[in-house]
Amino acid sequence: MPPSTTPHPLRSSNRPGFESGPSAVRLVDLFAGCGGLSLGFAQAAHDAGRRLDVRLAVDFEGLATEVYSANFPGAAAVATQPVEEFFDGPLGSTATLAETRTRTSVGMVDVLVGGPPCQGHSNLNNHTRRIDGKNALYLRMVRATEILKPRLLMIENVPSVVRDRHDGQSVVDRADRHLRSIGYQVAQEVIPLAELGVAQARRRHIMIATASGEPDPRSVIEHATRDAEEHDLEWAIGDLVRTPEGSLLDQRPRPTPVNLARMQYLLDNDLYDLPNEHRPDCHKGDHTYLSMYGRLRWDRPAQTITSGYGSIGQGRYMHPDQPRALTAHEAARIQGFPDYFDFSACPSRSALATMIGNAVPPQLGKAIATAYLALASTMEEPEQSGTAQSA
Ligand SMILES: C[S@@+](CC[C@H](N)C(=O)[O-])C[C@H]1O[C@@H](n2cnc3c(N)ncnc32)[C@H](O)[C@@H]1O
């Protein structure tokens, strides 16, 4: 096959002009983190010749909003506050004072996105899952929908969110029912992100809701998940093998002597899984931790990136060719962040690890946004084409 002439989407250091374009996609991002979902919507809007107008992004971590602001300098408001301060009313009630203020300052909204925290019910956390009060935050997305009335809602979470309960009820069922009761069409799906071109075996649950008269959310999901090219680790980070260690982003993790010996053993013996006799005592019997201390393969997607990507004791994070775990730059690429995304507000390797590990791969937002914009534009024609100023 001749080499592809399409520019590599992750290797560019030049940020596209997401703020330019004749008509705006007006977006609110709650639990925004560094802005993975926003970036995906920005990329899709840009490809469709539209500009992204971030009306409001909220996260209560100051470092997250600093990174967000650096990457979305045109955002009308980026707030370092709890989401509950903007949307504090019970589902189904009239707008509170805070909610009325939020609605007035944000104005008309095309898209509401959010990835409420999932530590409470991640499969990676055995202690607090399924009883965590954070599950109620999922329903703040529904309340925000009731107040802002976006055309499209997207809530992202871990697959096991469907088993989470709050006040004795499933949060996802409750969200689904309430959205339908206020006139939205709703669909849910667990999406293997590798099928969207993310070089990673990560699965995510999404709930998509659209206002009446907008594209059917099931079609949006079906459109989003068809025909994407799948990518392996080599595609994502193969060019970074000889990157010098200049910045924090490219600093190589320094392993302990015992982990260095484990990695050298894997390289010397051309192995990818560490035999039990080389593991710590607690892994020596029967265990389900095969990926821990494991080596990544160039020709497959990586395992799910967490904030532990810098240590082989946290998962299969050993570089395929070198006796070290992943750099932040490599982890960001595997998460789907292009080189133009600016993480420089993060002052340390651990801050970078939290920021990158918490992020939603932009390809997820991009696939949903691309599908929605394409379907919405076909619905607008012929009466509204050329007149609509937003989505
Ligand atoms: C899974 S991360 C979100 C990732 C992000 N949506 C993206 O696209 O990259 C969850 C975020 O929610 C924030 N968070 C958790 N509870 C919050 C709250 N009550 N109010 C505002 N932000 C909150 C955390 O600081 C974290 O950045």
Side-chain angles (χ1 to χ4, degrees):
M1 272 216 306
S4 162
T5 50
T6 320
H8 194 295
L10 302 182
R11 293 184 192 169
S12 170
S13 303
N14 297 324
R15 181 183 184 273
F18 293 132
E19 292 76 22
S20 56
S23 67
V25 174
R26 293 168 59 101
L27 171 135
V28 169
D29 191 343
L30 304 179
F31 310 100
C34 66
L37 281 172
S38 290
L39 179 62
F41 274 77
Q43 292 169 332
H46 186 72
D47 289 353
R50 313 275 295 268
R51 70 176 188 278
L52 184 75
D53 181 1
V54 177
R55 302 306 305 156
L56 174 66
V58 182
D59 198 291
F60 66 8
E61 288 291 345
L63 199 51
T65 51
E66 254 188 85
V67 176
Y68 191 99
S69 300
N71 287 284
F72 299 95
V78 180
T80 309
Q81 272 170 262
V83 165
E84 308 90 291
E85 288 182 5
F86 290 86
F87 302 99
D88 58 352
L91 290 185
S93 64
T94 52
T96 65
L97 192 57
E99 290 169 338
T100 305
R101 276 203 202 109
T102 305
R103 184 164 57 199
T104 307
S105 67
V106 164
M108 198 276 292
V109 174
D110 295 309
V111 180
L112 169 63
V113 295
C118 50
Q119 283 87 345
H121 39 70
S122 166
N123 278 332
L124 303 173
N125 177 345
N126 292 323
H127 303 297
T128 57
R129 66 183 158 169
R130 288 186 248 301
I131 49 167
D132 197 293
K134 283 177 184 160
N135 296 342
L137 294 177
Y138 195 92
L139 297 172
R140 289 299 87 194
M141 293 298 300
V142 179
R143 178 61 175 169
T145 305
E146 195 163 57
I147 298 297
L148 299 178
K149 303 191 171 36
R151 292 174 170 196
L152 170 70
L153 163 71
M154 171 175 179
I155 314 178
E156 173 273 346
N157 223 287
V158 291
S160 57
V161 69
V162 295
R163 296 196 295 277
D164 285 329
R165 305 180 82 73
H166 180 69
D167 282 348
Q169 291 185 57
S170 150
V171 284
V172 171
D173 286 354
R174 190 155 171 221
D176 188 312
R177 269 200 312 276
H178 196 78
L179 287 165
R180 289 178 199 276
S181 78
I182 58 172
Y184 278 81
Q185 321 168 75
V186 187
Q188 308 174 33
E189 190 73 48
V190 172
I191 300 188
L193 298 193
E195 289 179 8
L196 303 180
V198 182
Q200 189 184 160
R202 194 184 192 101
R203 293 163 75 245
R204 279 299 183 262
H205 177 271
I206 55 166
M207 178 175 283
I208 302 287
T210 53
S212 146
E214 293 289 321
D216 159 41
R218 175 55 48 201
S219 316
V220 173
I221 292 174
E222 277 163 15
H223 203 279
T225 48
R226 72 179 187 222
D227 302 336
E229 200 183 332
E230 296 194 21
H231 296 300
D232 59 18
L233 187 68
E234 213 280 329
W235 173 87
I237 65 166
D239 62 313
L240 299 179
V241 170
R242 272 173 286 282
T243 303
E245 277 196 282
S247 70
L248 208 51
L249 214 55
D250 287 304
Q251 257 180 34
R252 297 184 185 135
R254 305 271 177 266
T256 59
V258 61
N259 277 349
L260 183 61
R262 287 174 174 137
M263 290 190 274
Q264 202 53 57
Y265 182 87
L266 291 176
L267 289 171
D268 292 346
N269 292 281
D270 198 18
L271 292 174
Y272 287 82
D273 298 321
L274 192 69
N276 275 359
E277 63 269 28
H278 293 277
R279 290 175 179 259
D281 288 343
C282 55
H283 282 199
K284 281 196 168 121
D286 275 351
H287 65 79
T288 54
Y289 305 116
L290 191 64
S291 62
M292 303 259 178
Y293 303 101
R295 175 180 165 201
L296 290 157
R297 292 176 187 269
W298 281 125
D299 60 355
R300 293 190 193 164
Q303 83 155 69
T304 300
I305 293 293
T306 68
S307 57
Y309 63 75
S311 164
I312 60 161
Q314 305 279 320
R316 185 181 302 282
Y317 296 132
M318 179 185 154
H319 189 275
D321 289 349
Q322 298 179 359
R324 62 171 178 85
L326 297 170
T327 64
H329 193 168
E330 289 164 339
R333 285 273 199 89
I334 295 168
Q335 283 279 58
F337 284 87
D339 288 353
Y340 61 74
F341 198 84
D342 181 359
F343 286 104
S344 62
C346 295
S348 62
R349 284 228 310 264
S350 70
L352 264 174
T354 305
M355 198 64 61
I356 293 169
N358 269 346
V360 177
Q363 288 102 321
L364 177 59
K366 184 180 180 191
I368 293 295
T370 302
Y372 169 74
L373 292 174
L375 292 169
S377 72
T378 57
M379 290 175 73
E380 275 166 12
E381 288 164 0
E383 319 82 72
Q384 293 179 34
S385 68
T387 55
Q389 284 303 299
S390 57

